[in-house]
Amino acid sequence: MRKRHQLLLTIAVALVVVAAVVAVLLTQALRPAKHVVVMFSNTADQYAYVEFRKTLEKKFDKLGVKADITYLYLECERFSHDIEIQHAKVLVEDVMRTRRIDALITVGDQATYSLAQTGMDIVHNVPWVFVGVMYPNAKILENHTNLRGFTNTPNVPRNILLSKTLTGNAATFTLIDRTYLDKLTMRNINEQLAGRNDIINNLDWKYAIVQLEQHHRDKGSITPFSLRNISSNTAMKEDQAYQGTMNLLHATRRYSEMTYIQFKFDTAALALIGFRMEKPMLTAVWLEFGKPGSNFLGGYFVSGTTMANDAATSLSETFKGQRSKGPQLRASKNDYLIDYQVAKRYGYTIETLPEGMKVVNLGWRDRYPRMTITLITLAILLILSL
């Protein structure tokens, strides 16, 4: 009789547990999804956005956040400043006509600042997280108490010195346009290199590049090339147009030891430098890195995976009422990254990759070459034996 009672009690407890689990699952299933609008600064075909989207969705699932995500693309390079703001407003308003928006994520400086200046109520009333902002503007962001952000200001000295590690030479150059973002890039370089004796800041063209290569090989350096005014690319006083063109050609030719570093994404710069460069390039920003056919060997920067994880984690805390009262702005974690498919083209092997770098595009065949050959051989023999 006692055993029967114990059995019935055990069954009753089991049923209660099962009922509780079912109730939780049903609650989660019936709970409406949070509609999250993500606005990217550039076009939808940007290679780096693919991994960002996958990581964001995966991270939300892992955190137990039921998210229905709408992706928008500002296509910032198509518009002037004022038109870009208006375009951001139109994109969001089009969504709001048919859907309620529960949260916002902006990716990059242009999407963040354009959305902040639209004057729409929603940018003040729903949780908003930005990631990938290189140069945070406190005046624009200070009135948005609903906002949390993650910055990724390019680290200038680490990328210049990384050139020495990866290419054997720390004489570097970059391409500069006339935009506001380019002005901030120049300011960032000046600020980070102020007072350093191991890196020459050649933004003022104190030295011609031949002088850097011949007389300052023991130091790192960064030299800017104007994207719009080739004649300014020289420290020479006479025949500037000719010398400016020749300086740029010299920097991009095979025999030059200079390394190109991307400090901001610019399609015009990539079109020019990609056509000329036959050497590996470095990047201090995430866009274009890892893209098939790219010449970007590596860099020290915040990856798209890190940005997506930061955005999902921050919004998850908000949705669960766990958001801390900490600072609005935080720096995302930088990593040293290297693209193995590019590294192979320049003589690297698995064994010779620098330590401490995260490796991307490292396939199973690259990781286990001998086993791959063995399996292929066995497969051929098996086919032949049939």
Side-chain angles (χ1 to χ4, degrees):
M1 192 71 172
R2 183 177 298 174
K3 289 184 178 180
R4 184 180 178 183
H5 286 161
Q6 289 178 343
L7 177 61
L8 291 174
L9 180 61
T10 301
I11 293 174
V13 171
L15 289 174
V16 170
V17 172
V18 171
V21 171
V22 170
V24 171
L25 293 176
L26 284 174
T27 301
Q28 292 178 344
L30 295 174
R31 184 180 59 196
K34 296 290 186 179
H35 183 209
V36 180
V37 169
V38 179
M39 181 183 289
F40 293 99
S41 294
N42 298 97
T43 56
D45 59 356
Q46 175 60 240
Y47 176 80
Y49 291 166
V50 176
E51 185 62 29
F52 183 97
R53 292 190 295 262
K54 289 180 181 178
T55 303
L56 183 69
E57 294 164 12
K58 185 177 180 180
K59 187 66 174 180
F60 272 137
D61 288 340
K62 185 177 180 180
L63 294 171
V65 175
K66 193 175 180 181
D68 180 10
I69 306 175
T70 296
Y71 295 106
L72 304 176
Y73 303 90
L74 185 59
E75 301 183 5
C76 61
E77 292 190 319
R78 289 180 52 196
F79 307 108
S80 63
H81 175 70
D82 292 338
I83 296 177
E84 183 179 294
I85 295 172
Q86 184 61 31
H87 184 54
K89 183 177 181 179
V90 169
L91 288 174
V92 175
E93 286 179 339
D94 284 345
V95 176
M96 292 173 61
R97 287 190 180 96
T98 57
R99 300 284 307 279
R100 167 192 168 124
I101 297 176
D102 296 306
L104 296 166
I105 296 175
T106 48
V107 184
D109 292 69
Q110 296 91 339
T112 301
Y113 296 132
S114 292
L115 190 60
Q117 296 176 83
T118 58
M120 295 187 295
D121 291 339
I122 193 170
V123 300
H124 298 281
N125 297 336
V126 301
W128 176 11
V129 176
F130 71 71
V131 293
V133 168
M134 296 191 294
Y135 304 110
N137 187 322
K139 290 184 179 180
I140 294 179
L141 302 175
E142 62 186 2
N143 294 324
H144 297 270
T145 57
N146 58 320
L147 179 64
R148 293 294 183 273
F150 295 86
T151 62
N152 66 335
T153 304
N155 190 304
V156 178
R158 288 207 180 190
N159 278 285
I160 293 174
L161 297 178
L162 181 61
S163 175
K164 180 70 173 180
T165 300
L166 295 181
T167 70
N169 190 281
T172 68
F173 71 99
T174 193
L175 289 175
I176 298 295
D177 206 336
R178 297 171 178 172
T179 68
Y180 179 66
L181 197 55
D182 287 275
K183 294 177 181 178
L184 293 178
T185 299
M186 299 277 279
R187 187 178 72 183
N188 182 50
I189 292 173
N190 281 324
E191 289 176 353
Q192 293 192 23
L193 296 185
R196 294 191 68 112
N197 296 319
D198 57 335
I199 299 175
I200 296 173
N201 180 355
N202 202 35
L203 292 191
D204 58 357
W205 272 95
K206 179 180 180 180
Y207 302 101
I209 58 175
V210 175
Q211 292 175 299
L212 292 175
E213 292 185 336
Q214 292 181 352
H215 305 298
H216 301 281
R217 296 174 61 89
D218 59 325
K219 294 184 177 182
S221 63
I222 179 68
T223 299
F225 284 90
S226 171
L227 187 61
R228 305 296 177 186
N229 184 15
I230 299 298
S231 65
S232 68
N233 295 326
T234 178
M236 309 298 181
K237 299 302 181 184
E238 66 280 356
D239 196 11
Q240 287 199 352
Y242 172 76
Q243 289 292 346
T245 302
M246 291 307 296
N247 266 300
L248 181 58
L249 290 176
H250 177 89
T252 57
R253 283 176 176 169
R254 180 181 302 174
Y255 57 76
S256 171
E257 296 181 354
M258 299 189 80
T259 301
Y260 173 75
I261 300 180
Q262 173 181 251
F263 285 110
K264 75 174 190 64
F265 176 72
D266 187 327
T267 54
L270 282 177
L272 175 60
I273 206 67
F275 176 73
R276 290 288 183 183
M277 287 294 283
E278 297 176 324
K279 305 186 304 300
M281 305 185 297
L282 301 186
T283 180
V285 297
W286 65 304
L287 296 177
E288 289 296 297
F289 178 74
K291 181 178 180 178
S294 166
N295 220 27
F296 284 118
L297 173 60
Y300 182 73
F301 56 91
V302 181
S303 69
T305 299
T306 296
M307 293 183 204
N309 284 328
D310 285 342
T313 300
S314 182
L315 275 185
S316 174
E317 292 172 354
T318 299
F319 293 150
K320 297 175 182 179
Q322 300 172 346
R323 171 167 282 186
S324 65
K325 296 181 180 179
Q328 280 188 297
L329 303 182
R330 285 177 283 175
S332 289
K333 180 179 179 295
N334 287 266
D335 290 296
Y336 286 101
L337 293 102
I338 189 167
D339 185 338
Y340 187 66
Q341 297 307 311
V342 179
K344 285 197 303 183
R345 300 205 305 263
Y346 295 100
Y348 278 102
T349 64
I350 296 292
E351 293 75 20
T352 59
L353 288 175
E355 294 183 3
M357 300 197 72
K358 289 187 175 181
V359 184
V360 304
N361 291 334
L362 178 60
W364 194 87
R365 183 172 59 181
D366 296 314
R367 193 182 297 271
Y368 307 106
R370 293 181 180 178
M371 187 177 296
T372 301
I373 295 173
T374 300
L375 292 175
I376 292 175
T377 302
L378 290 174
I380 294 174
L381 292 176
L382 179 61
I383 293 172
L384 294 176
S385 66
L386 297 178

